[in-house]
Structures are given as C-alpha cells and as structure tokens.
Amino acid sequence: MQRKGVADRIDQSRAAEWGWFLAWLAVGGCLALGLAALLTVGIALIAVAAVAAVFLLRKGPRAAAVGGVAGLALPAFYLAYLNRGGPGNVCHVTAGGSTCTDEYAPLPFLVVGALLFVAGFLVFLMLERRGRGG
C-alpha cells in the first residue's frame, strides 16, 4: 500500500508542474499579444502578464517559467491562421457583395510559432526529467 501512495504523490506532483507550465504559457501568450497590440490594449495586457509573472515566480517552480516561451507562440499561430489565404489579395463574398484584403504568407508565422512552442516544451521536459533525477 505504501508504494501506491508514493506513486500517487509523484503523479500529483507532475500534474502540478504541468499546471504551472500551462499558467506560464498563458502569461507568455498575454505578453506576446500585448506587444503585438501595443498601440491599443497592449499596455494593459503587458501589465496583466507582469502581475501574473510576479505571482508565478513567487508561488510556482521556476522551471515552469519556460512555458512563457511556448506561450509566445500563441499569437504567432493566430497570425498564421488569420493569413491562411495569403499571400496576396484575398476576397470573400459577403451579403452586400465582396470584401478583399491583403494577407501575408502564413508560413513564416507558423514556423516561428512552432519553433517557440516546441522549444518551450522540450526545455520544460528536459528540466522536469533532470529534476526527477532521470
């Protein structure tokens, strides 16, 4: 029975570490979105990210902070999605006719997002494995 209790505590500890990682992912996404929207709501988003980062640094494990790097990928993925019809002039039919917009190539946004996302996860996995001693 004792062995199962230890295994349960280890599983709970790992789940908690992933929870902290996801919290940092949200902070990174908020920061990146704040930087992208600096001329409108960006200052407020950066302030929210800063307050959350201070809280997470005081309460959570520091290794989970690499989730912020993965979070920086979220706005890049969103920009790739918004530009999915690009590059060039993209037109859509609406009820009153059609609207056309210039879109960028989505691939650079997707590549940057994927690199940041994968880098954040890999570094966290390496730090988590090192912390477990394995």
Side-chain angles (χ1 to χ4, degrees):
M1 277 303 197
Q2 181 70 15
R3 187 173 184 101
K4 185 177 180 186
V6 171
D8 287 343
R9 278 186 264 144
I10 290 171
D11 287 342
Q12 288 174 349
S13 173
R14 289 188 72 200
E17 288 176 12
W18 279 101
W20 288 109
F21 177 83
L22 292 175
W24 273 105
L25 187 125
V27 168
C30 186
L31 175 65
L33 188 59
L35 291 173
L38 194 57
L39 296 177
T40 56
V41 297
I43 298 296
L45 290 172
I46 291 170
V48 168
V51 169
V54 168
F55 172 77
L56 292 174
L57 283 172
R58 289 183 179 205
K59 298 291 183 185
R62 298 209 187 259
V66 295
V69 174
L72 296 175
L74 299 178
F77 287 144
Y78 182 62
L79 286 172
Y81 173 77
L82 289 178
N83 291 288
R84 66 190 177 278
N89 196 14
V90 178
C91 297
H92 299 284
V93 177
T94 62
S98 66
T99 60
C100 297
T101 58
D102 284 328
E103 294 185 4
Y104 297 106
L107 191 58
F109 298 112
L110 188 62
V111 168
V112 167
L115 288 174
L116 287 169
F117 198 71
V118 169
F121 271 104
L122 288 178
V123 170
F124 179 71
L125 289 173
M126 290 186 323
L127 290 172
E128 184 188 36
R129 180 168 288 170
R130 187 178 67 177
R132 284 193 324 243

